[in-house]
Amino acid sequence: MASWVLRLLPRNVRSLATSSENQRMEGCHRHHEAYGYFLPIQTRWQDNDQYGHVNNAVYYSYFDTIINHYLIRYCGLNPGVLTSPVVGFMVTNQCTFHTPVGFPQVPVAALAVEKVGRSSVHYRLALFPPKPTEERPSADHRDLSDGIFFGHPKLGQFDTLACTTGSSVHVFVNPATRKPTGLPDDLRSGLLRLMRPAAG
């Protein structure tokens, strides 16, 4: 965690944030190898705040985008509430900011799955900025429609250290009753594909 962020935290929270175990885990989650799926994100003019970088709240929309993109594209999730057998409710979100990005940069969002329960999924997320070169990362239509998986050569266009890391938890419910329900098999198998991204 950046030192300027630590100075803003209350003392009791600061000690939690700086524990060696938390720092070690956070350090591991800042590298490409901790993730299996990546999606280029085109920042927008409206994403920037008065400080000239992406507003903190917008990072959550980037994370929501990569999660739902993967679920729809690779897990068979039907985004229609009236026709889908399950609907995902986001019950918790967390984001840690290390360095800023801003429009017109094209960072790449990263996704891994930490745990798949009966009706819940725990995600690990990150955002990697483009490398500081004259040439901006190239993202063609296929990259935007399919995303890319760990090991793809296009990841070389992005910094190896994440500027933002986070986590989210989805609970899947029956759309009629709004009660938790078991994950369909195709959804579960697609999620399990991202459980050990670096090994697969």
Side-chain angles (χ1 to χ4, degrees):
M1 185 177 287
S3 60
W4 64 271
V5 175
L6 288 174
R7 289 194 298 272
L8 299 175
L9 296 173
R11 245 180 232 161
N12 59 337
V13 176
R14 199 179 308 163
S15 64
L16 281 173
T18 57
S19 76
S20 60
E21 180 62 20
N22 286 348
Q23 285 183 337
R24 187 185 70 73
M25 290 304 293
E26 186 65 32
C28 291
H29 295 166
R30 289 190 69 190
H31 296 278
H32 290 175
E33 293 79 12
Y35 302 91
Y37 183 66
F38 299 82
L39 184 69
I41 301 287
Q42 174 59 68
T43 57
R44 303 165 300 172
W45 173 250
Q46 68 185 27
D47 295 349
N48 279 12
D49 59 22
Q50 65 183 8
Y51 303 110
H53 55 70
V54 169
N55 184 275
N56 290 1
V58 177
Y59 289 88
Y60 290 101
S61 73
Y62 297 162
F63 288 166
D64 203 33
T65 296
I66 189 172
I67 290 169
N68 286 291
H69 187 279
Y70 184 80
L71 293 176
I72 293 165
R73 181 72 179 82
Y74 293 102
C75 299
L77 183 68
N78 178 348
V81 175
L82 299 177
T83 55
S84 179
V86 295
V87 175
F89 285 172
M90 195 63 72
V91 296
T92 185
N93 283 307
Q94 178 275 327
C95 203
T96 301
F97 305 99
H98 306 285
T99 57
V101 293
F103 177 82
Q105 286 182 299
V106 180
V108 67
L111 175 66
V113 173
E114 291 198 319
K115 179 182 176 188
V116 178
R118 189 187 80 82
S119 61
S120 65
V121 184
H122 295 242
Y123 305 102
R124 183 173 63 250
L125 300 137
L127 194 71
F128 293 89
K131 284 184 176 174
T133 62
E134 292 293 321
E135 191 174 323
R136 288 192 288 181
S138 64
D140 59 30
H141 178 72
R142 179 169 288 177
D143 299 335
L144 298 174
S145 64
D146 295 344
I148 54 179
F149 288 86
F150 178 74
H152 194 286
K154 283 202 174 175
L155 288 176
Q157 299 176 13
F158 300 92
D159 200 323
T160 57
L161 202 59
C163 60
T164 310
T165 51
S167 61
S168 295
V169 176
H170 254 154
V171 172
F172 287 87
V173 301
N174 179 301
T177 65
R178 300 295 202 238
K179 301 281 187 192
T181 188
L183 299 173
D185 290 342
D186 53 349
L187 183 60
R188 179 178 296 278
S189 63
L191 290 164
L192 291 174
R193 182 179 181 186
L194 296 186
M195 285 285 288
R196 296 191 180 164

